[in-house]
Amino acid sequence: AQSVTQPDIHITVSEGASLELRCNYSYGATPYLFWYVQSPGQGLQLLLKYFSGDTLVQGIKGFEAEFKRSQSSFNLRKPSVHWSDAAEYFCAVKGGSYIPTFGRGTSLIVHP
Amino acid sequence: DAEITQSPRHKITETGRQVTLACHQTWNHNNMFWYRQDLGHGLRLIHYSYGVQDTNKGEVSDGYSVSRSNTEDLPLTLESAASSQTSVYFCASSRDRNSPLHFGNGTRLTVT
């Protein structure tokens, strides 16, 4: 079985500060990993994905994530947050099936 | 551009009524999914389909049904709406097992 945990329900950062959102997964082999962003009233948009290869993955909007097998983690980072980054962020894991399992999400609040 | 369209965007209905939420995708994807999103629960899978005439139950399928008569559409039916089904519903599709999901903008359903 696969599962994913996002330990932080809310994260507050100041505009211009760095950001790290945590994601831990459970799966017996190397999974497919994703980060999505959801703006209010919108569907989820893919930020980045990891399938194999380089463990540091670059995504859209200046985001990156690092796959760490030893820690079963796939944390999302951004060096400098913009006010427009305020949104809900979801980590997802997909193992041997077509179906991803989503975390409960982390709400990012950006202070000016 | 290809897209997923959900309709209606908002729906209010009464307990006991049958409700159908539409999902139409122009990606020509075989895989389609329905999720519900609730505070504190993230996204939970209701039903999914791997192709025409194929449907499968997800983790929260009770009270819901789907049918897949063509590639483009996967309507979600609530047979007898209950207040516990008040939620935001998202439809998604993917090309294959290695591909991320593309999401619609959601339908907010209120059951009174």
Side-chain angles (χ1 to χ4, degrees):
Chain A
Q2 62 196 32
S3 65
V4 60
T5 301
Q6 293 180 247
D8 304 305
I9 298 174
H10 303 282
I11 290 282
T12 301
V13 299
S14 298
E15 191 169 17
S18 63
L19 171 70
E20 182 169 31
L21 302 182
R22 295 183 292 165
C23 173
N24 294 100
Y25 69 89
S26 176
Y27 183 65
T30 300
Y32 300 131
L33 295 159
F34 309 87
W35 274 100
Y36 290 84
V37 61
Q38 183 184 30
S39 299
Q42 301 295 312
L44 279 68
Q45 179 186 17
L46 180 71
L47 282 175
L48 47 79
K49 61 182 184 281
Y50 172 78
F51 289 167
S52 63
D54 193 347
T55 57
L56 185 62
V57 181
Q58 301 298 320
I60 62 171
K61 304 185 180 187
F63 286 91
E64 66 178 26
E66 186 171 12
F67 170 61
K68 292 186 177 180
R69 185 191 307 276
S70 62
Q71 298 177 21
S72 297
S73 69
F74 189 57
N75 294 348
L76 182 71
R77 302 194 294 247
K78 187 170 185 178
S80 178
V81 171
H82 188 262
W83 64 266
S84 60
D85 293 324
E88 190 86 13
Y89 291 81
F90 292 91
C91 182
V93 61
K94 185 160 63 168
S97 72
Y98 292 80
I99 306 167
T101 298
F102 288 84
R104 295 190 176 186
T106 297
S107 178
L108 176 63
I109 301 164
V110 181
H111 282 313
Chain B
D1 284 347
E3 61 181 0
I4 296 183
T5 304
Q6 293 186 236
S7 60
R9 288 300 309 273
H10 302 273
K11 175 76 176 178
I12 301 174
T13 191
E14 295 178 344
T15 301
R17 289 191 178 269
Q18 184 182 77
V19 177
T20 296
L21 309 183
C23 174
H24 179 82
Q25 53 101 359
T26 58
W27 291 97
N28 198 34
H29 287 164
N30 284 326
N31 308 324
M32 295 185 73
F33 309 84
W34 273 103
Y35 288 88
R36 61 178 288 175
Q37 183 179 30
D38 305 285
L39 275 175
H41 291 279
L43 288 160
R44 291 182 291 176
L45 183 66
I46 305 172
H47 281 285
Y48 59 101
S49 169
Y50 290 153
V52 176
Q53 302 301 331
D54 176 77
T55 61
N56 305 278
K57 295 181 179 181
E59 64 178 298
V60 291
S61 60
D62 286 349
Y64 303 94
S65 63
V66 294
S67 61
R68 188 87 180 272
S69 59
N70 58 52
T71 299
E72 295 80 18
D73 299 290
L74 188 70
L76 177 71
T77 298
L78 286 69
E79 304 293 345
S80 177
S83 58
S84 60
Q85 295 176 309
T86 292
S87 185
V88 181
Y89 291 86
F90 286 98
C91 181
S93 72
S94 70
R95 185 185 63 200
D96 55 43
R97 64 182 298 165
N98 294 336
S99 301
L101 269 58
H102 296 262
F103 282 85
N105 284 331
T107 294
R108 182 176 295 276
L109 177 67
T110 302
V111 183
T112 62

